[in-house]
Amino acid sequence: MIKIYYVPGTRAIRPVWLCEELGIPYHREDVSFEPEFRASPEWRSINPVGKVPAMTDGDLTMFESCAMVQVILDRYGNGQLEPEKGSNEHAIMQQWSWFAESTLARPAGEIVNHHRAFGDNSIPEVLSEMSGRVRLCLLAIDKAMADREFLIDHGLSVADINMGYSLDLANRYVPFDDLVHAKAYYDRLASRPAFQRAVA
Ligand SMILES: N[C@@H](CCC(=O)N[C@@H](CS)C(=O)NCC(=O)O)C(=O)O
């Protein structure tokens, strides 16, 4: 059975949310987010840079949440939540999945890291720079979602699951209530029962 190493509020939400959407069995292994635990040889043998999440499935052990999502889909999706492989829509789905983690979650994550590392001594210029990068992504999503329910016409896909977590993260530091299409999209995703179970 799939085992997902989980910390609330982290990218572990993505693979858990996908399992919930697919209705497949998985085991959620709650782990500590304490730096000491994440630096331990035990955890570094699972995630070599001490981040969360990680996953095992049989003799497979892996990290990187969006890759985990794709592997779960490939192994257990039975064609759900993705268009035909090789199609343009599949390409656009991947585009938004990568955008979610590499382009939106990166500066949002750096805001988190900066606060964690410097606390009251945070440098306003750094936070402002990162917030600006997040905002640029949110504007792009707002524009993309002006006339659609999900990121691709196919319907809910793993791109929405990957993006849903990134929007959840962004919303904590760079709220975007004024971007009505992006906000409505985020609210739609966050109200899904599978998402609610993943964050519970
Ligand atoms: N690209 C990685 C990012 C993993 C990541 O940054 N995880 C955060 C929690 S959501 C973390 O462990 N942060 C601790 C740190 O960077 O020290 C993924 O998608 O799994």
Side-chain angles (χ1 to χ4, degrees), residues 94-105:
Q94 292 194 57
Q95 165 200 283
W96 284 121
S97 280
W98 283 77
F99 179 93
E101 179 59 17
S102 309
T103 310
L104 171 54

Side-chain angles (χ1 to χ4, degrees), residues 7-12 14 33 38 43-44 47 49-54 63-68 101-102 105 109-110 112-113 116 165 169 172:
V7 171
T10 69
R11 289 161 174 82
R14 286 178 176 145
F33 199 61
R38 292 189 290 109
W43 184 248
R44 289 283 163 108
N47 189 315
V49 290
K51 290 178 185 282
V52 175
F63 48 88
E64 285 298 331
S65 61
C66 296
M68 292 159 59
E101 179 59 17
S102 309
E110 288 313 321
V112 180
N113 294 337
R116 191 181 299 133
Y165 171 76
L169 176 66
R172 295 178 220 163

